Amino acid sequence: MAKESNVDVLIIGAGPAGVMAANAFAKAGVNVKIVDKRPKKVAAGQADGIQPRTIEVFQSYGLADRLLREGNQMQMAAFYNPAPSGGIMRDGRAPDVTAPTARWPFELTLHQGAIEAILLDSMRSYGLEIDRPLQPTEIVLDDSEEALASADSYPVKVTLQHVDPKPTQQETEVVNAKYVIGADGAHSWVRKQLGFTMDGEQTEYVWGVVDMIPTTDFPDIRNRTAIHSNYGSCMIIPREGDIVRLYIQLSDEDAREVLNTNGRIDKMLWTPQRLMEIARRCFKPYTIEFPTNTHLNIRFKLVGQRVASNFSKKERIFIAGDACHTHSPKAGQGMNASMNDSHNLVWKITHVLRGWADPSILKTYELERRKYAQDLIDFDRKFSALFSGKPRTEENHDGVSHEEFLAAFQTFGGFTSGIGIQYSPSPITNLAHQALATNLSIGARMPPQTILCAADARPFELQDLLPSDSRFKVVVFTGNLDAETQRAKVDLFAKEAAGEGGFLLKYGVRTGAEKGWASVFEVLTVLVGTKETVNYTSVPAVLRSHWTKVFVDDLEVKGINGGTAYSSYGIPPEGAVVIVRPDGYVGMIAPLEGAKALDDYFASFMKPS
């Protein structure tokens, strides 16, 4: 008889989306199991770009330091186009990241294996390992009303087969799960079993991808570089150490040569030398030579731009990452989109498992991430057409000009960096009081700002006070408490929010919780004042659980950073309350007199204590 076990969450697939989810669940103390059919983790992998928002997400899990230490920073982008005299010439350089509020204004490049290793080591610290090699052979969902409605049921039954069983090991095992996440890649077995389709199209663009350490006189080899030449397009992505990745577009004629009779890429039909020769022609008058005594990592990509028809089945089985969206690699979104799918989903499942949130909150995963995926495909289609289009020359007036390409590069900067992503209205994204903080976009991530601890003037980055710990952050911008009317408003908010029937007590104090509402809510206050005169004890006691939770919007002692939180966020002297979701996105803004509005907000998706 097959071994049988129960888990809260089963994750199928240990790529970026899978290990991101597994680490987050393990950190939250969820009973999670992750399986993968590969016998070992990828050594390098195909993905390698980390966008500024994803660095912020890693920081929220306490993992950004290693990422920043090991990765290569792409600070600048360069643009080359055909020169009148032949060959190519540089038309200009620009910052690679144009989003003005990016905390880290650059992209990081580091191979997928190293990025996954950061998450795997973190998982291991919580006692979680990947079970491998295991592949699913059957998935069955009990979709009866009783099973789906019960918080104690395990309605998803998955049969797993050991790919290479040990002599004492059974060939199959059965896992009963409350929730399953299919993070098993573009050819997702889970997605196919659910009958979800991938909607979209496959472009005719075929790209060759080369990882190597070149010998070259090209001056922008360590910048992200877009080359439009009369021989084709090429993109340069500098990576860790001295490694460089080239994306080389094949002409229509060359592309037909690498496609087999089924329309699929067969790289055996081409030699690396052919690809190298195209690169050399694109680089002229500069030279580029490739190592002959080391292994060249060469592959081809046929660009598909598709989104899954559904992201979940009955809010019990979900798909994430490449299982639900595929697109071209040139904008560096693939791994970022995948890991941020998981970041969006994990806290919602965690809240439901803990009995804090109504299961209806899980519907917002598809609402938010499918809309993002569709926007990503729309962007990718436009950007790919620009990148793959013929350059404008004296002979080709209809081609893509440098000005067009640069304008698109900068216009899409907020989207590609991840900084500009904004989720649509829903129970967890309430736009009612947007006017109270004109520069804080409800549904977007909380931007960085330096504030000072009121007790000791130590500077903190506000984002570092918003870790991914499954808690909502209630950030109270009190205004100036020396003003009598302002003090009265803050006292009233403290009484209504923390008093009997207030939202902090109603939704925060849980059975077995030793910290009052602190298991569910983190309350932070930000005062108007100066470090020389402010008293942290002026904040009502219920809004300062500890002296480290009260801050002032002022310059740090060197007079360089800080003092701009209220003005940067567009918060008036009258103050406001900002609710930051567990994933770091602004869920709601309310006036200090609006404790009842916050109660209504949480009532729309949370269960009372």
Side-chain angles (χ1 to χ4, degrees):
M1 189 174 180
K3 171 188 170 186
E4 195 159 343
S5 61
N6 292 346
V7 297
D8 288 339
V9 180
L10 172 66
I11 300 169
I12 298 172
V19 293
M20 186 72 165
N23 177 68
F25 278 126
K27 179 179 173 68
V30 170
N31 178 15
V32 59
K33 180 182 179 76
I34 177 170
V35 301
D36 195 86
K37 65 183 180 181
R38 296 168 295 185
K40 57 184 179 180
K41 79 176 188 72
V42 296
Q46 298 184 17
D48 64 355
I50 294 292
Q51 297 288 349
R53 173 56 190 157
T54 308
I55 303 174
E56 293 179 357
V57 171
F58 267 68
Q59 176 72 358
S60 76
Y61 289 100
L63 302 175
D65 285 351
R66 180 172 162 188
L67 190 68
L68 291 163
R69 186 172 64 250
E70 295 183 10
N72 172 69
Q73 297 181 14
M74 289 198 298
Q75 298 274 356
M76 295 295 288
F79 307 92
Y80 283 74
N81 286 288
S85 58
I88 56 172
M89 59 180 285
R90 187 174 65 216
D91 276 327
R93 289 180 180 143
D96 185 49
V97 171
T98 58
T101 67
R103 180 176 175 185
W104 287 281
F106 50 81
E107 284 184 72
L108 270 182
T109 50
L110 182 65
H111 68 78
Q112 180 180 331
I115 295 166
E116 289 179 7
I118 295 172
L119 293 164
L120 290 170
D121 288 346
S122 179
M123 280 168 46
R124 200 167 287 120
S125 72
Y126 300 116
L128 180 63
E129 298 276 359
I130 298 169
D131 288 333
R132 60 166 95 234
L134 277 169
Q135 63 182 19
T137 58
E138 185 180 35
I139 184 168
V140 178
L141 172 65
D142 180 352
D143 59 0
S144 65
E145 285 188 25
E146 183 181 3
L148 294 176
S150 172
D152 300 319
S153 70
Y154 296 83
V156 191
K157 180 178 181 179
V158 179
T159 302
L160 301 169
Q161 182 174 18
H162 290 269
V163 177
D164 187 19
K166 298 173 183 175
T168 58
Q169 201 173 39
Q170 292 177 309
E171 287 191 10
T172 61
E173 65 174 279
V174 174
V175 177
N176 301 302
K178 292 183 177 180
Y179 299 96
V180 168
I181 299 176
D184 49 343
H187 302 290
S188 171
W189 177 89
V190 174
R191 184 188 68 234
K192 292 171 183 174
Q193 297 304 304
L194 298 176
F196 297 166
T197 58
M198 289 294 278
D199 302 330
E201 60 189 28
Q202 184 164 286
T203 71
E204 299 304 315
Y205 308 132
V206 178
W207 290 77
V209 187
V210 188
D211 290 315
M212 43 66 193
I213 299 175
T215 301
T216 181
D217 60 356
F218 186 71
D220 284 292
I221 198 68
R222 295 307 301 178
N223 290 322
R224 178 182 177 184
T225 303
I227 297 175
H228 281 106
S229 82
N230 290 320
Y231 299 103
S233 298
C234 177
M235 178 171 277
I236 301 170
I237 304 291
R239 290 182 43 182
E240 66 275 11
D242 295 328
I243 300 172
V244 171
R245 171 168 292 181
L246 298 184
Y247 289 103
I248 304 163
Q249 186 182 358
L250 274 60
S251 68
D252 293 345
E253 183 179 343
D254 289 338
R256 283 191 288 271
E257 288 188 25
V258 300
L259 299 177
N260 61 24
T261 54
N262 296 320
R264 294 184 176 275
I265 289 173
D266 183 351
K267 67 179 183 180
M268 301 304 293
L269 296 174
W270 252 49
T271 63
Q273 288 72 27
R274 291 279 299 278
L275 199 57
M276 300 302 98
E277 188 51 42
I278 293 175
R280 290 190 186 96
R281 292 203 304 266
C282 286
F283 273 76
K284 287 181 178 180
Y286 304 100
T287 61
I288 183 166
E289 295 300 328
F290 303 88
T292 56
N293 58 344
T294 58
H295 173 68
L296 281 173
N297 182 7
I298 294 179
R299 59 190 179 278
F300 295 92
K301 292 189 74 73
L302 186 62
V303 177
Q305 295 159 327
R306 296 188 175 94
V307 179
S309 56
N310 304 83
F311 280 25
S312 77
K313 178 80 173 283
K314 303 289 186 181
E315 283 73 54
R316 288 288 188 165
I317 306 173
F318 300 87
I319 54 174
D322 287 354
C324 46
H325 43 70
T326 61
H327 36 84
S328 78
K330 293 180 297 305
Q333 293 301 298
M335 185 162 43
N336 297 272
S338 296
M339 292 190 292
N340 281 288
D341 285 347
S342 298
H343 180 59
N344 180 282
L345 177 60
V346 166
W347 73 267
K348 298 170 182 177
I349 292 179
T350 299
H351 274 228
V352 174
L353 286 169
R354 291 177 178 174
W356 296 356
D358 188 90
S360 61
I361 195 177
L362 300 176
K363 292 182 183 295
T364 64
Y365 169 65
E366 180 165 325
L367 172 74
E368 293 181 336
R369 295 307 293 175
R370 190 166 190 272
K371 171 67 165 58
Y372 161 76
Q374 289 170 323
D375 290 345
L376 173 57
I377 297 305
D378 289 343
F379 151 75
D380 188 50
R381 190 175 292 117
K382 295 171 186 173
F383 193 72
S384 290
L386 277 175
F387 198 94
S388 301
K390 298 288 185 183
R392 183 175 297 178
T393 62
E394 291 184 2
E395 295 77 24
N396 180 22
H397 295 287
D398 296 327
V400 178
S401 71
H402 168 66
E403 291 74 20
E404 278 181 289
F405 190 82
L406 181 60
F409 182 83
Q410 294 176 332
T411 299
F412 292 131
F415 186 83
T416 56
S417 65
I419 301 300
I421 292 170
Q422 185 172 7
Y423 294 135
S424 302
S426 72
I428 60 173
T429 304
N430 186 317
L431 306 184
H433 296 285
Q434 175 66 77
L436 291 174
T438 53
N439 298 331
L440 266 186
S441 298
I442 298 172
R445 104 309 185 202
M446 188 72 173
Q449 274 295 316
T450 298
I451 54 178
L452 309 185
C453 177
D456 63 4
R458 177 182 172 182
F460 283 85
E461 169 50 60
L462 178 56
Q463 284 190 342
D464 291 342
L465 305 171
L466 312 172
S468 292
D469 58 6
S470 304
R471 294 188 295 175
F472 278 89
K473 313 305 185 297
V474 182
V475 188
V476 184
F477 289 87
T478 62
N480 187 353
L481 291 185
D482 290 337
E484 195 171 318
T485 54
Q486 199 63 22
R487 152 68 62 185
K489 287 199 293 185
V490 173
D491 285 343
L492 178 64
F493 174 77
K495 180 180 178 182
E496 292 184 341
E500 186 175 351
F503 75 89
L504 289 172
L505 285 177
K506 187 185 295 185
Y507 301 105
V509 179
R510 299 288 166 175
T511 303
E514 299 176 359
K515 303 178 182 178
W517 61 68
S519 297
V520 182
F521 298 111
E522 171 88 297
V523 179
L524 307 171
T525 54
V526 184
L527 310 174
V528 167
T530 68
K531 55 187 174 293
E532 290 83 6
T533 61
V534 72
N535 294 314
Y536 81 91
T537 52
S538 65
V539 172
V542 293
L543 298 183
R544 51 175 170 90
S545 61
H546 193 261
W547 62 266
T548 57
K549 306 301 179 184
V550 182
F551 301 86
V552 62
D553 183 23
D554 193 17
L555 284 164
E556 40 79 38
V557 292
K558 285 188 175 182
I560 300 173
N561 298 312
T564 59
Y566 276 76
S567 59
S568 294
Y569 293 154
I571 296 175
E574 293 76 26
V577 182
V578 178
I579 302 299
V580 182
R581 301 173 358 177
D583 57 0
Y585 286 76
V586 178
M588 185 177 178
I589 299 171
L592 287 168
E593 307 92 330
K596 176 63 169 64
L598 293 175
D599 183 84
D600 292 342
Y601 168 73
F602 287 109
S604 69
F605 60 88
M606 292 193 81
K607 294 181 176 181
S609 302

